[in-house]
Amino acid sequence: MPELPEVEVVRAGLQRHVAGRTVAEVEVLHPRAVRRHVPGPVDFATRLSGRRFDAACRRGKYLWIELDGAAEAIVSHLGMSGQMLVQPVGTPDEKHLRVRVRFADDGPELRFVDQRTFGGLALTDVVAGLPVPIAHIGRDPLDPEFDLALGVAALRARRTEVKRALLDQTVVSGIGNIYADEALWRTKLHWSRAANGLSRPKAVELLEAATEVMREALVAGGTSFDALYVNVNGQSGYFDRSLAAYGQQDRPCGRCGTAIIREAFMNRSSFSCPKCQRAPR
Ligand SMILES: [Zn+2]
C-alpha cells in the first residue's frame, strides 16, 4: 500500500495538473474501479461531466479531489497497485486503464490505472471539509494543524502494542507499516512494547521520528517525481534506499551492526534490530 509520502507526491501532481480544469467526459472501462460508488458507473460518469476539479487534498494516506462548490469530492483509493496518470490525449491506453477523465480544454487526460483493481474512485459528499468516508481519520504529523500533544496523549491511551497504535489511523493518521518500522528503529523501541507503557518523552520522540522519516521520504520522492507523469506504485516504492529497518532482514543494523530480523505481525512483517530494540519480557 502506498504510504503518506507516496500519496503526497500524487496529490501534488494532481494539484499541478488537474486542479482548476473542467471535466468534459468520464469513461469507466471497468465497473470494479467504481464499486465504492454505490449508484454505479453510469451515475459516476454522468454526475462528473461538466464539473470543475478544485483542490487536490490529502489527509494521512487518503486522497481526494474537491469538486466545484466543495460539497462533493472524488475519493481515490490507490489500493495495492493503483496509479493516477496524466497523459496527453491520444496516448495509447494502458493495459489496465480503468477510468479516463477527459477535460473541456482538450489538454492531457487523467487516467486511473490499476492492475489488481483493489483500488478505485468514488464520488462522495464533503462535510466540514472532509469526504464522508474519511471523517474519522485523524490528522497526520505533516499537517500544519497536527497537535503533537494530542497525538502523544492518544497514543499513550491505547492498551495495545505500540506499532498497532501507530497504524491506527484514528489516533494519528498517515503512518503505515514501512514508516512505523523506521520510526521504531530510530527510537530504539520494539514494536510489541505497550503503547500505554511509554513515557511521555518517549512517545514524543517516537512521533517526531515518524514525522521526520516521512518528511525525508517526501523530499526524496519529490526529487524523483517526473513533472509530467503523476504516478504511484505501492509495490516498488520510491524510498527503498533510505530505509534502515523495513525490508532489511539479515542486513547489518546501521547503528550496531547486528543483523536486522523479521517477525510476523498482523499478517505482515515487522523489521527490527534485536539489540537496539529489545523485546519486552
Ligand atoms: Zn542495532
Side-chain angles (χ1 to χ4, degrees):
M1 295 284 277
E3 296 205 17
L4 186 153
E6 291 89 338
V7 176
E8 174 57 22
V9 168
V10 177
R11 187 208 62 79
L14 289 175
Q15 179 66 31
R16 191 177 315 144
H17 295 289
V18 305
R21 300 175 68 193
T22 299
V23 176
E25 189 192 3
V26 174
E27 199 182 336
V28 177
L29 292 99
H30 195 309
R32 200 171 138 75
V34 295
R35 69 192 177 282
R36 290 182 182 87
H37 185 76
V38 178
V42 173
D43 181 86
F44 180 81
T46 308
R47 280 168 60 191
L48 275 175
S49 79
R51 306 293 298 275
R52 193 185 67 238
F53 283 174
D54 280 349
C57 308
R58 180 189 58 75
R59 175 172 279 202
K61 298 180 274 180
Y62 298 84
L63 179 66
W64 68 94
I65 301 170
E66 282 180 349
L67 298 175
D68 50 335
E72 286 180 308
I74 302 177
V75 176
S76 157
H77 302 263
L78 297 168
M80 300 293 285
S81 56
Q83 297 174 298
M84 295 285 231
L85 306 179
V86 176
Q87 297 279 42
V89 173
T91 304
D93 287 1
E94 291 74 14
K95 188 177 175 195
H96 303 289
L97 177 61
R98 306 304 186 201
V99 179
R100 181 204 320 277
V101 178
R102 288 200 178 92
F103 294 96
D105 57 20
D106 291 326
E109 54 191 40
L110 177 64
R111 298 179 177 187
F112 180 71
V113 174
D114 190 4
Q115 184 182 351
R116 301 173 71 181
T117 57
F118 291 145
L121 306 175
L123 190 57
T124 71
D125 289 339
V126 173
V127 175
L130 289 176
V132 170
I134 294 164
H136 63 290
I137 302 297
R139 288 192 187 276
D140 62 70
L142 300 188
D143 187 324
E145 291 182 51
F146 177 73
D147 185 330
L148 181 65
L150 217 62
V152 164
L155 190 66
R156 294 179 70 226
R158 296 300 308 276
R159 295 171 187 275
T160 183
E161 296 153 340
V162 62
K163 184 169 173 183
R164 203 178 284 265
L166 277 180
L167 296 180
D168 181 340
Q169 304 297 302
T170 61
V171 174
V172 173
S173 76
I175 304 173
N177 209 33
I178 298 174
Y179 299 107
D181 279 3
E182 292 300 299
L184 289 164
W185 181 85
R186 289 188 182 197
T187 321
K188 300 184 186 175
L189 281 172
H190 191 267
W191 56 269
S192 70
R193 289 274 299 272
N196 60 343
L198 295 182
S199 68
R200 192 182 302 275
K202 202 66 184 169
V204 168
E205 197 187 326
L206 178 59
L207 284 189
E208 285 180 344
T211 310
E212 190 183 73
V213 73
M214 289 195 291
R215 196 165 278 144
E216 288 169 10
L218 195 52
V219 170
T223 55
S224 69
F225 172 61
D226 182 332
L228 288 175
Y229 194 68
V230 184
N231 186 4
V232 70
N233 184 329
Q235 289 168 314
S236 64
Y238 297 113
F239 313 121
D240 293 350
R241 277 181 298 172
S242 57
L243 298 177
Y246 184 84
Q248 305 301 306
Q249 189 180 9
D250 298 331
R251 296 203 187 135
C253 166
R255 230 172 358 227
C256 75
T258 306
I260 298 287
I261 57 164
R262 180 170 80 170
E263 295 164 282
F265 173 82
M266 290 172 76
N267 297 321
R268 288 185 285 179
S269 300
S270 269
F271 297 89
S272 61
C273 169
K275 189 173 175 201
C276 295
Q277 299 166 266
R278 295 271 186 211
R281 287 168 191 276

mmCIF file of all heavy atoms in Angstrom, residues 49-73:
data_model
loop_
_atom_site.group_PDB
_atom_site.id
_atom_site.type_symbol
_atom_site.label_atom_id
_atom_site.label_comp_id
_atom_site.label_asym_id
_atom_site.label_seq_id
_atom_site.Cartn_x
_atom_site.Cartn_y
_atom_site.Cartn_z
ATOM 1 N N SER A 49 -19.514 14.879 -15.297
ATOM 2 C CA SER A 49 -19.306 15.658 -16.513
ATOM 3 C C SER A 49 -19.791 17.091 -16.306
ATOM 4 O O SER A 49 -20.841 17.327 -15.709
ATOM 5 C CB SER A 49 -19.956 14.979 -17.717
ATOM 6 O OG SER A 49 -21.321 15.226 -17.729
ATOM 7 N N GLY A 50 -18.979 18.022 -16.741
ATOM 8 C CA GLY A 50 -19.282 19.437 -16.578
ATOM 9 C C GLY A 50 -18.805 20.032 -15.264
ATOM 10 O O GLY A 50 -18.841 21.256 -15.079
ATOM 11 N N ARG A 51 -18.331 19.187 -14.351
ATOM 12 C CA ARG A 51 -17.858 19.698 -13.057
ATOM 13 C C ARG A 51 -16.404 20.162 -13.173
ATOM 14 O O ARG A 51 -15.646 19.663 -13.991
ATOM 15 C CB ARG A 51 -17.943 18.604 -11.974
ATOM 16 C CG ARG A 51 -19.311 17.962 -11.815
ATOM 17 C CD ARG A 51 -20.355 18.909 -11.270
ATOM 18 N NE ARG A 51 -20.065 19.425 -9.938
ATOM 19 C CZ ARG A 51 -20.380 18.794 -8.805
ATOM 20 N NH1 ARG A 51 -20.981 17.614 -8.841
ATOM 21 N NH2 ARG A 51 -20.107 19.344 -7.629
ATOM 22 N N ARG A 52 -16.046 21.078 -12.297
ATOM 23 C CA ARG A 52 -14.662 21.561 -12.267
ATOM 24 C C ARG A 52 -13.930 20.907 -11.101
ATOM 25 O O ARG A 52 -14.469 20.812 -10.000
ATOM 26 C CB ARG A 52 -14.623 23.082 -12.126
ATOM 27 C CG ARG A 52 -13.243 23.689 -12.402
ATOM 28 C CD ARG A 52 -13.226 25.181 -12.138
ATOM 29 N NE ARG A 52 -13.407 25.447 -10.698
ATOM 30 C CZ ARG A 52 -14.387 26.188 -10.180
ATOM 31 N NH1 ARG A 52 -15.281 26.748 -10.955
ATOM 32 N NH2 ARG A 52 -14.465 26.369 -8.872
ATOM 33 N N PHE A 53 -12.702 20.469 -11.352
ATOM 34 C CA PHE A 53 -11.855 19.969 -10.275
ATOM 35 C C PHE A 53 -11.269 21.163 -9.530
ATOM 36 O O PHE A 53 -10.651 22.022 -10.142
ATOM 37 C CB PHE A 53 -10.698 19.124 -10.837
ATOM 38 C CG PHE A 53 -11.089 17.738 -11.261
ATOM 39 C CD1 PHE A 53 -10.167 16.922 -11.898
ATOM 40 C CD2 PHE A 53 -12.356 17.235 -11.012
ATOM 41 C CE1 PHE A 53 -10.504 15.632 -12.291
ATOM 42 C CE2 PHE A 53 -12.711 15.948 -11.396
ATOM 43 C CZ PHE A 53 -11.771 15.144 -12.041
ATOM 44 N N ASP A 54 -11.474 21.204 -8.226
ATOM 45 C CA ASP A 54 -10.833 22.252 -7.433
ATOM 46 C C ASP A 54 -9.547 21.680 -6.830
ATOM 47 O O ASP A 54 -8.766 21.100 -7.550
ATOM 48 C CB ASP A 54 -11.806 22.798 -6.388
ATOM 49 C CG ASP A 54 -12.773 23.813 -7.023
ATOM 50 O OD1 ASP A 54 -12.526 24.214 -8.175
ATOM 51 O OD2 ASP A 54 -13.763 24.178 -6.397
ATOM 52 N N ALA A 55 -9.379 21.812 -5.539
ATOM 53 C CA ALA A 55 -8.113 21.400 -4.929
ATOM 54 C C ALA A 55 -7.964 19.885 -4.835
ATOM 55 O O ALA A 55 -8.934 19.165 -4.641
ATOM 56 C CB ALA A 55 -8.024 22.004 -3.540
ATOM 57 N N ALA A 56 -6.729 19.405 -4.968
ATOM 58 C CA ALA A 56 -6.384 18.020 -4.639
ATOM 59 C C ALA A 56 -5.953 18.015 -3.177
ATOM 60 O O ALA A 56 -5.097 18.806 -2.780
ATOM 61 C CB ALA A 56 -5.265 17.515 -5.538
ATOM 62 N N CYS A 57 -6.586 17.156 -2.382
ATOM 63 C CA CYS A 57 -6.394 17.197 -0.921
ATOM 64 C C CYS A 57 -5.932 15.835 -0.409
ATOM 65 O O CYS A 57 -6.151 14.808 -1.038
ATOM 66 C CB CYS A 57 -7.711 17.539 -0.222
ATOM 67 S SG CYS A 57 -8.510 19.017 -0.848
ATOM 68 N N ARG A 58 -5.343 15.848 0.768
ATOM 69 C CA ARG A 58 -4.898 14.599 1.385
ATOM 70 C C ARG A 58 -5.011 14.708 2.899
ATOM 71 O O ARG A 58 -4.779 15.757 3.478
ATOM 72 C CB ARG A 58 -3.435 14.334 1.022
ATOM 73 C CG ARG A 58 -2.860 13.056 1.611
ATOM 74 C CD ARG A 58 -1.355 12.954 1.402
ATOM 75 N NE ARG A 58 -0.643 14.087 1.979
ATOM 76 C CZ ARG A 58 -0.433 14.260 3.282
ATOM 77 N NH1 ARG A 58 -0.855 13.370 4.145
ATOM 78 N NH2 ARG A 58 0.192 15.334 3.711
ATOM 79 N N ARG A 59 -5.413 13.631 3.527
ATOM 80 C CA ARG A 59 -5.271 13.501 4.975
ATOM 81 C C ARG A 59 -4.710 12.115 5.226
ATOM 82 O O ARG A 59 -5.311 11.128 4.798
ATOM 83 C CB ARG A 59 -6.592 13.704 5.710
ATOM 84 C CG ARG A 59 -6.433 13.448 7.211
ATOM 85 C CD ARG A 59 -7.665 13.809 8.005
ATOM 86 N NE ARG A 59 -7.723 15.236 8.255
ATOM 87 C CZ ARG A 59 -8.425 15.788 9.260
ATOM 88 N NH1 ARG A 59 -9.115 15.025 10.076
ATOM 89 N NH2 ARG A 59 -8.435 17.083 9.429
ATOM 90 N N GLY A 60 -3.573 12.035 5.901
ATOM 91 C CA GLY A 60 -2.925 10.739 6.077
ATOM 92 C C GLY A 60 -2.649 10.129 4.720
ATOM 93 O O GLY A 60 -2.083 10.770 3.842
ATOM 94 N N LYS A 61 -3.121 8.889 4.528
ATOM 95 C CA LYS A 61 -2.887 8.183 3.270
ATOM 96 C C LYS A 61 -4.068 8.323 2.326
ATOM 97 O O LYS A 61 -4.133 7.643 1.318
ATOM 98 C CB LYS A 61 -2.636 6.692 3.567
ATOM 99 C CG LYS A 61 -1.400 6.461 4.414
ATOM 100 C CD LYS A 61 -1.172 4.987 4.686
ATOM 101 C CE LYS A 61 -1.946 4.503 5.884
ATOM 102 N NZ LYS A 61 -1.731 3.062 6.152
ATOM 103 N N TYR A 62 -5.022 9.181 2.666
ATOM 104 C CA TYR A 62 -6.248 9.303 1.885
ATOM 105 C C TYR A 62 -6.207 10.532 0.994
ATOM 106 O O TYR A 62 -5.768 11.604 1.404
ATOM 107 C CB TYR A 62 -7.474 9.347 2.813
ATOM 108 C CG TYR A 62 -7.575 8.069 3.600
ATOM 109 C CD1 TYR A 62 -6.847 7.895 4.774
ATOM 110 C CD2 TYR A 62 -8.325 6.999 3.120
ATOM 111 C CE1 TYR A 62 -6.887 6.694 5.475
ATOM 112 C CE2 TYR A 62 -8.375 5.801 3.811
ATOM 113 C CZ TYR A 62 -7.657 5.653 4.990
ATOM 114 O OH TYR A 62 -7.693 4.463 5.657
ATOM 115 N N LEU A 63 -6.703 10.347 -0.222
ATOM 116 C CA LEU A 63 -6.567 11.357 -1.263
ATOM 117 C C LEU A 63 -7.938 11.671 -1.850
ATOM 118 O O LEU A 63 -8.729 10.767 -2.085
ATOM 119 C CB LEU A 63 -5.661 10.734 -2.338
ATOM 120 C CG LEU A 63 -5.315 11.500 -3.588
ATOM 121 C CD1 LEU A 63 -4.455 12.704 -3.237
ATOM 122 C CD2 LEU A 63 -4.553 10.584 -4.544
ATOM 123 N N TRP A 64 -8.214 12.956 -2.091
ATOM 124 C CA TRP A 64 -9.459 13.286 -2.777
ATOM 125 C C TRP A 64 -9.300 14.575 -3.579
ATOM 126 O O TRP A 64 -8.383 15.355 -3.344
ATOM 127 C CB TRP A 64 -10.620 13.392 -1.794
ATOM 128 C CG TRP A 64 -10.610 14.535 -0.817
ATOM 129 C CD1 TRP A 64 -11.223 15.749 -0.966
ATOM 130 C CD2 TRP A 64 -9.968 14.573 0.473
ATOM 131 N NE1 TRP A 64 -11.022 16.521 0.142
ATOM 132 C CE2 TRP A 64 -10.259 15.832 1.040
ATOM 133 C CE3 TRP A 64 -9.196 13.672 1.204
ATOM 134 C CZ2 TRP A 64 -9.794 16.214 2.307
ATOM 135 C CZ3 TRP A 64 -8.722 14.048 2.455
ATOM 136 C CH2 TRP A 64 -9.018 15.302 2.991
ATOM 137 N N ILE A 65 -10.198 14.729 -4.554
ATOM 138 C CA ILE A 65 -10.226 15.951 -5.363
ATOM 139 C C ILE A 65 -11.564 16.627 -5.100
ATOM 140 O O ILE A 65 -12.622 16.016 -5.318
ATOM 141 C CB ILE A 65 -10.094 15.642 -6.871
ATOM 142 C CG1 ILE A 65 -8.790 14.890 -7.165
ATOM 143 C CG2 ILE A 65 -10.163 16.936 -7.685
ATOM 144 C CD1 ILE A 65 -8.725 14.341 -8.600
ATOM 145 N N GLU A 66 -11.515 17.854 -4.631
ATOM 146 C CA GLU A 66 -12.755 18.600 -4.391
ATOM 147 C C GLU A 66 -13.352 19.033 -5.719
ATOM 148 O O GLU A 66 -12.634 19.434 -6.629
ATOM 149 C CB GLU A 66 -12.468 19.858 -3.564
ATOM 150 C CG GLU A 66 -12.276 19.567 -2.096
ATOM 151 C CD GLU A 66 -11.990 20.836 -1.296
ATOM 152 O OE1 GLU A 66 -11.737 21.903 -1.897
ATOM 153 O OE2 GLU A 66 -12.004 20.740 -0.071
ATOM 154 N N LEU A 67 -14.676 18.966 -5.791
ATOM 155 C CA LEU A 67 -15.354 19.449 -6.986
ATOM 156 C C LEU A 67 -15.863 20.859 -6.738
ATOM 157 O O LEU A 67 -15.976 21.293 -5.586
ATOM 158 C CB LEU A 67 -16.516 18.515 -7.334
ATOM 159 C CG LEU A 67 -16.078 17.082 -7.657
ATOM 160 C CD1 LEU A 67 -17.285 16.197 -7.880
ATOM 161 C CD2 LEU A 67 -15.163 17.060 -8.872
ATOM 162 N N ASP A 68 -16.156 21.580 -7.814
ATOM 163 C CA ASP A 68 -16.634 22.953 -7.704
ATOM 164 C C ASP A 68 -17.739 23.049 -6.656
ATOM 165 O O ASP A 68 -18.661 22.244 -6.633
ATOM 166 C CB ASP A 68 -17.136 23.452 -9.064
ATOM 167 C CG ASP A 68 -18.111 22.472 -9.719
ATOM 168 O OD1 ASP A 68 -18.042 21.267 -9.410
ATOM 169 O OD2 ASP A 68 -18.929 22.913 -10.520
ATOM 170 N N GLY A 69 -17.601 24.026 -5.795
ATOM 171 C CA GLY A 69 -18.571 24.191 -4.720
ATOM 172 C C GLY A 69 -18.133 23.488 -3.446
ATOM 173 O O GLY A 69 -18.598 23.815 -2.366
ATOM 174 N N ALA A 70 -17.222 22.516 -3.579
ATOM 175 C CA ALA A 70 -16.599 21.814 -2.444
ATOM 176 C C ALA A 70 -17.575 21.035 -1.568
ATOM 177 O O ALA A 70 -17.241 20.640 -0.465
ATOM 178 C CB ALA A 70 -15.774 22.785 -1.585
ATOM 179 N N ALA A 71 -18.805 20.784 -2.065
ATOM 180 C CA ALA A 71 -19.740 19.963 -1.286
ATOM 181 C C ALA A 71 -19.599 18.489 -1.636
ATOM 182 O O ALA A 71 -20.132 17.625 -0.944
ATOM 183 C CB ALA A 71 -21.176 20.420 -1.546
ATOM 184 N N GLU A 72 -18.882 18.213 -2.719
ATOM 185 C CA GLU A 72 -18.644 16.829 -3.137
ATOM 186 C C GLU A 72 -17.178 16.670 -3.511
ATOM 187 O O GLU A 72 -16.498 17.644 -3.818
ATOM 188 C CB GLU A 72 -19.497 16.473 -4.360
ATOM 189 C CG GLU A 72 -20.965 16.279 -4.064
ATOM 190 C CD GLU A 72 -21.733 15.930 -5.322
ATOM 191 O OE1 GLU A 72 -21.614 16.667 -6.323
ATOM 192 O OE2 GLU A 72 -22.441 14.919 -5.305
ATOM 193 N N ALA A 73 -16.730 15.428 -3.508
ATOM 194 C CA ALA A 73 -15.341 15.154 -3.876
ATOM 195 C C ALA A 73 -15.238 13.773 -4.491
ATOM 196 O O ALA A 73 -16.076 12.905 -4.241
ATOM 197 C CB ALA A 73 -14.443 15.239 -2.650
#
